[in-house]
Amino acid sequence: MTPTGAAPRKDTQTSAKPARDGRYHHGDLRNALVLAAAELAENGGPEAVTVRAAARRVGVTPTAAYRHFTNHDQLLHAAHEQAQQSLFTAMTETVAAIDPESDAVGRLIAIGRGYITFALREPGLFRTAFCGSDTADPGEWNSPAFDLLSALLDELVAIGYTDPAHRPDAEVAAWAAVHGLASLIIEGAMGDLDAGAREAVIARTLSMVRIGLATGPRAGEY
């Protein structure tokens, strides 16, 4: 029990410190900084992600933040992985919204639409999803979205929709088409399209991806 005569200022200091330690105990501060970085990216893209800005958003000193991320690149890499996870979530949500009996072709179109929808809804986070990686090869990223695309392309081969000879690097071709359209829209080159024209362009691009993969012996069945 605290003695009655204890100094009020000392009581305040000792009660404040455990509250902060409890809030960020066992790595919670790192997670809070990553989420703050993702929030900064939502509004300003990768350029807005800095250790000082994330620390300010969380409410800690830059010194405390630098114990977890020693520089901008480390924090940006963490924000990149968080953005990739958000992209993957948007794609899987789009798949979940269609007929659960849909074949791999239908699910491929759904994840492409989810990809573009995410870019339109969260342009800053979308840009951040493609920076801060340690390698130029997306197959080596911590990228669940890329893994999802790869798995669906393997399934297209398995059901006879895509010729096995055309499977190598199909991820890059499909990704380039969808990512290119998303970038054209959010970067302004096609940003002035009204809702109807934009939907027509999205549908046409996804259709071209589908047709381009239809090289297998059973493609006509789908």
Side-chain angles (χ1 to χ4, degrees):
M1 180 177 294
T2 304
T4 304
R9 184 176 178 181
K10 183 177 180 180
D11 286 346
T12 301
Q13 289 176 336
T14 55
S15 63
K17 188 174 185 300
R20 174 164 289 184
D21 288 347
R23 181 180 177 188
Y24 299 120
H25 191 50
H26 292 314
D28 284 350
L29 176 54
R30 186 185 191 283
N31 294 334
L33 290 168
V34 172
L35 291 175
E39 290 169 358
L40 290 166
E42 286 179 13
N43 298 318
E47 298 82 5
V49 179
T50 67
V51 176
R52 287 184 174 274
R56 186 164 55 248
R57 196 173 189 91
V58 172
V60 298
T61 65
T63 300
Y66 280 121
R67 294 192 187 105
H68 297 274
F69 299 100
T70 59
N71 55 46
H72 164 78
D73 289 340
Q74 286 187 0
L75 181 58
L76 185 59
H77 178 78
H80 154 79
E81 293 198 343
Q82 181 66 36
Q84 279 283 338
Q85 185 60 49
S86 297
L87 172 61
F88 172 73
T89 299
M91 293 163 70
T92 55
E93 286 175 348
T94 308
V95 173
I98 66 174
D99 185 347
E101 300 299 322
S102 293
D103 54 44
V105 181
R107 283 181 279 124
L108 178 73
I109 298 304
I111 67 167
R113 184 169 290 280
Y115 190 102
I116 296 171
T117 298
F118 177 77
L120 298 179
R121 187 177 66 217
E122 302 285 0
L125 207 54
F126 178 76
R127 295 185 186 100
T128 305
F130 300 100
C131 68
S133 61
D134 295 329
T135 172
D137 181 1
E140 297 179 9
W141 295 355
N142 179 16
S143 176
F146 192 83
D147 293 342
L148 176 60
L149 173 60
S150 293
L152 275 174
L153 292 173
D154 287 343
E155 192 173 342
L156 291 180
V157 172
I159 65 175
Y161 187 83
T162 300
D163 188 317
H166 299 153
R167 173 64 185 85
D169 298 323
E171 292 95 338
V172 176
W175 180 30
V178 176
H179 185 87
L181 177 60
S183 297
L184 285 170
I185 294 173
I186 68 172
E187 298 300 341
M190 299 181 70
D192 293 333
L193 295 177
D194 61 36
R198 186 171 64 194
E199 172 54 33
V201 169
I202 292 172
R204 181 60 175 162
T205 300
L206 295 176
S207 177
M208 290 300 295
V209 171
R210 175 180 58 79
I211 293 169
L213 292 166
T215 60
R218 299 184 60 190
E221 300 176 21
Y222 298 90

